[in-house]
Amino acid sequence: MALTMKLTVIASFLLGLVIAFSGSEILRVAYGLFMFLVGSFLISTHELLRRQMVNYQKDLDRINRICDELDQNTKIIVQTDLELTRTQEALDKKLAGLFVLHELSKKILSVRSVVDLCRLVTDTVVTSFGYERALLCILHPDEKSRPLVAAQAGFELEEGKLMEVPKLVDWVRFPVLARGESVFASDVDLRSPAPAGLTPEQAQGEAPRVIGVMTGLRSYAVVPLLLEGRPQGFLLAGTNPPYPKLDDGDVELLSILTSEVGVAIENLQLYEALKISHDELEERVKLRTAQLAKANDELVRLNRLKSDFVSAVSHELRTPLTSIKGYTSLVRAGKLGPVTKEQGERLEKINRHTDFLTNLISELLDIARIESGRVGMTVRSVELPRLLDGVVDLLGPQLKEKNLTVDIRIPAKLPPLQADENQIQRVFTNLLSNAIRFTPEKGTITLRAAPTDAALHMEVSDTGIGMPPEDVSMLFTEFFRADNPINRERKGTGLGLVLVKRIIEAHGGRIGVRSEVGRGTTFSFMLPWKPAPQPDAQAS
Amino acid sequence: MPTWVGVGQSRQPDSYRAGQEAAGKALEMMGQPHADLLLVFASIRFDQESLLRGIASAAPSTWMAGCSTAGEILSEGPSRRSVAVMAIRSDTLQVVTGLGSRTSLNSRLAGQEVAGQLLQGKIPNPHGMLLFPDGLTGNAAELLRGIQDRMGLSFPIAGGSAADDFSFTRTYQYFQGKLYSDAAVGVLLAGPIAVGIGARHGWRPLGKPRRVTRGLANIVQELDGHTAVNLYETYFGRAADSLKAGSLADMSIVYPLGMPIPGEEEYLLRNVLKVDPATGSLIYAGEIPEGSEVRLMMGSKERALEAARKAAEQAVLSIAPRAPTFALVFSSCSRARLFGRRSGEEIAAIRQVLGRTVPIIGFYDYGEQAPLSAAGFRGLSYLHNETLVVCAVSAN
């Protein structure tokens, strides 16, 4: 546009010159007209341009306004984002702390000693929690200034001076250990020296600074470690610039950590105590078991010695007794001269007592033999009804004498019992004679047998005088005799029931007794069924 | 012609033992008694001298390079307050390391010094270089220019600037077992190998474009005629009052400035390192020339994750059909802040693209070096911020 206008102006000027010098009236008029046209064209163009410029300016203003508005929105966005970022960072820090705490508590589970635990904690505080240095102290329960366990991490050994832990404990004691409070310092001036000549008690206000100087930490926190509810130690953790100073969140985190550590230490101490007492107990049980085993061996040996002794003595006694009995009979029969009535009575007494002694010795011998296992049972099929009939027949005179009824209740088809017939006969003889002895006249003695799948259960009950419980419990003891008028009147060996018990036990059975004074006594025993011995086995 | 690679890490509280443990593990995994190259990235929580002595005691190596970090990166994911060591021995890959010192004095000269040392060996077939400059001193863009003066404009450079766990006080560079500050360490990768580099960030521009009206190198004094710090104060609103000068830089790290680059898909980003409380100037991790048009940028986790995946794809694609033998990852410290606890996802995404068995080492840094991908720049390496750089090396 500018170029066209310039050309137009130059062309008009040249044309004007030509016309001015030419002198033609028409040309002058034409020139005037032409100039007028050009002028109005220029004016209108300028007006158009001006209007366009105004429009452009409006647009520009609008865009600028929108831009500013958008910029305002940007501020909101940035501020929101900033807020979010800060929240996220704070959250991240907390989360990271909790995560490490979680990881640590998993690791703590496998630690088995307090020293290892302390080392694990301080290492984790430095490597995972991101503190520069950490110190965990557990103090001696009696001497409060002596650390029982101390673990540290992040203190460079090359710094030359190892931190004097007992001295540090002196400064930590008052605020942390005595009052159970945390000490927290965010900006300690490390260059100023520790106050000289002042004891920690005198300069409590100085404690935070001194602790910082001693540990070389400008920002740190000391939190108490509670054991059984009392501060027994502390955890110290801190940083130096450029790492960020500790804040309330750090103290909180360290407190959570120490309380967890406290629980873990208590558990460990309990575990250690438990383990020690468990080991001690086990040791004692072992010792006692060994002692008992030894005593038992000794008892077994003594018992065998006793049995051997009894059987030897019995044997040795039997021979002279036989002679005594023989000679007594000889004298009594009058073969060595006449015997007066008084002599006869005395000889009769000697004979009776000799019989008693023989009986006693043979029973003793039998018991000893059965006990020592030297006498085997000769097992064969026993028809119980037949055996019982024999026993009742044998005792017939005594039964008749007291007018007693014997009631035998045995199932018709009882399978034969595999046992030693003579010994079983002895059992019944013994039990029945006992029953006869203690049952008053016109009483009843009942024999019962009831087979089950595993064993034959038998009972011998009477309607006799019965026994008090204290006698029942002693019944199967050697030489025991219940104290009652009948026993006082008649002599007994006190070995009969012992023998019965030994015989039944030798057959694999058991015997028991119930009794009630004035109502009667019931002996019940069982003998297990045994397979009949094979003919071959018998032959061999 | 095999290549053996091993990676080791340690979180030991004791510095010397941590170094020993990490280097020992790396050597053990590599299965070789001696390494050609050790790459070491460690937290500043360690006593740096003891740490390096620990490493040297456990793993003898011909070349050694590395730096302090704001977090370490390994195949298993990111980690903080640890030391990570990668040991490499190869029949194909040849390496040389170089050091440029006093970057704050003359960054360009320091760059030339590094490149000069790398070229001294006259190793044939150089394919690229790794660079670990101080992230707080000097002008990293100038440093790159110095290197390019010697190596050529299109020479691929991948790297991360040393960091110091967000304290922005002092960073360390490791070179041949020794400790440096205000320096730049370079590693030349040469031989019949392939090096692929991918760089992305995923940040989006936000708000009105502004012009740098007064600035010098990486210091922005005025934006649109206002004090530079005013920008963040307006955007952060009331929150800015509660954030003191120190923590303002701490927060604004997630909101960098972006410069549009012709032909490039993404903006070139610049991190705030410090706020000068006296003048209200902003000190950035990279230069922002006066007159540049800049915009405030904001990141989102989803986009940043997508960017990580794309960076890895770009790296793998540029060495195809060869498969990566090992990979280096340099991620901006601001990305660690953005992702928070989810930063593992970024590494997982990269691992998925690279292949699960490829050993990875890297760190969270204060600035990244990587080539621009737009055709107009012919592979010129640039300083980036908030960016994720994946460098895949195939040496089999």
Side-chain angles (χ1 to χ4, degrees), chain B residues 95-120:
Chain B
V95 293
V96 186
T97 60
L99 177 81
S101 48
R102 283 184 291 176
T103 50
S104 55
L105 212 67
N106 190 336
S107 299
R108 193 158 186 156
L109 210 64
Q112 289 169 354
E113 194 185 333
V114 177
Q117 286 180 30
L118 296 185
L119 291 172
Q120 244 170 19

Side-chain angles (χ1 to χ4, degrees), chain A residues 64 67-68 70-71 74-83 85-86 88-89 91-93 95-97 99 122-123 126-133 153-158 239 241-243, chain B residues 11-17 43-47 50 53 80-81 164-165 167 169 206-210 234-239 242-243 251 254-255 296 298-299 301 337-342:
Chain A
N64 262 331
C67 230
D68 282 337
L70 282 176
D71 210 42
T74 306
K75 279 178 203 164
I76 296 168
I77 293 171
V78 169
Q79 277 161 32
T80 315
D81 190 62
L82 187 72
E83 196 57 46
T85 310
R86 290 170 72 189
Q88 182 205 303
E89 282 186 349
L91 209 65
D92 276 2
K93 195 177 159 188
L95 268 177
F99 181 73
T122 48
D123 275 0
V126 170
T127 53
S128 304
F129 282 108
Y131 297 105
E132 198 173 324
R133 293 169 179 191
F155 291 91
E156 294 280 344
L157 295 173
E158 293 151 29
T239 57
Y243 294 104
Chain B
R11 296 165 176 279
Q12 277 264 357
D14 184 74
S15 305
Y16 184 82
R17 259 181 278 163
S43 163
I44 56 152
R45 87 161 164 91
F46 294 112
D47 176 63
S50 326
R53 271 191 282 121
R80 287 200 68 178
R81 305 172 60 82
D164 62 351
D165 278 345
S167 75
T169 318
L206 200 72
K208 248 186 352 189
R210 286 180 168 78
T234 18
Y235 280 121
F236 289 172
R238 236 182 312 161
S242 60
L243 297 166
M251 286 318 294
V254 192
Y255 309 94
L296 189 77
M298 200 174 94
K301 289 192 185 76
R337 295 288 289 273
L338 178 75
F339 280 111
R341 275 177 69 72
R342 288 176 61 191

Side-chain angles (χ1 to χ4, degrees), chain A residues 214-351:
Chain A
M214 286 179 89
T215 54
L217 289 168
R218 286 185 64 174
S219 177
Y220 68 87
V222 189
V223 286
L225 174 71
L226 299 183
L227 294 179
E228 289 155 6
R230 282 181 303 127
Q232 297 265 14
F234 61 88
L235 173 70
L236 179 145
T239 57
N240 275 327
Y243 294 104
K245 290 173 189 167
L246 276 69
D247 56 25
D248 294 347
D250 292 287
V251 179
E252 202 179 309
L253 187 72
L254 288 171
S255 300
I256 297 174
L257 176 66
T258 20
S259 66
E260 192 150 318
V261 170
V263 172
I265 288 174
E266 276 175 12
N267 283 346
L268 271 181
Q269 283 174 345
L270 272 179
Y271 172 82
E272 276 171 8
L274 208 66
K275 190 161 180 339
I276 288 170
S277 71
H278 176 263
D279 287 352
E280 260 174 19
L281 212 65
E282 206 158 67
E283 202 52 44
R284 268 158 65 180
V285 165
K286 248 188 224 162
L287 197 74
R288 260 327 217 294
T289 311
Q291 281 172 351
L292 281 175
K294 209 172 151 193
N296 195 40
D297 286 350
E298 186 61 21
L299 278 178
V300 167
R301 199 180 65 83
L302 285 176
N303 199 35
R304 178 159 307 146
L305 217 63
K306 180 205 79 182
S307 297
D308 288 353
F309 173 74
V310 166
S311 93
V313 165
S314 311
H315 221 81
E316 293 301 316
L317 283 175
R318 234 176 11 184
T319 323
L321 266 178
T322 315
S323 301
I324 292 170
K325 192 171 163 67
Y327 288 124
T328 312
S329 304
L330 217 66
V331 173
R332 256 182 85 196
K335 296 206 173 153
L336 298 175
V339 178
T340 61
K341 195 184 162 212
E342 282 80 13
Q343 282 173 335
E345 277 172 14
R346 305 298 187 275
L347 283 173
E348 171 56 29
K349 265 192 180 168
I350 293 175
N351 192 37

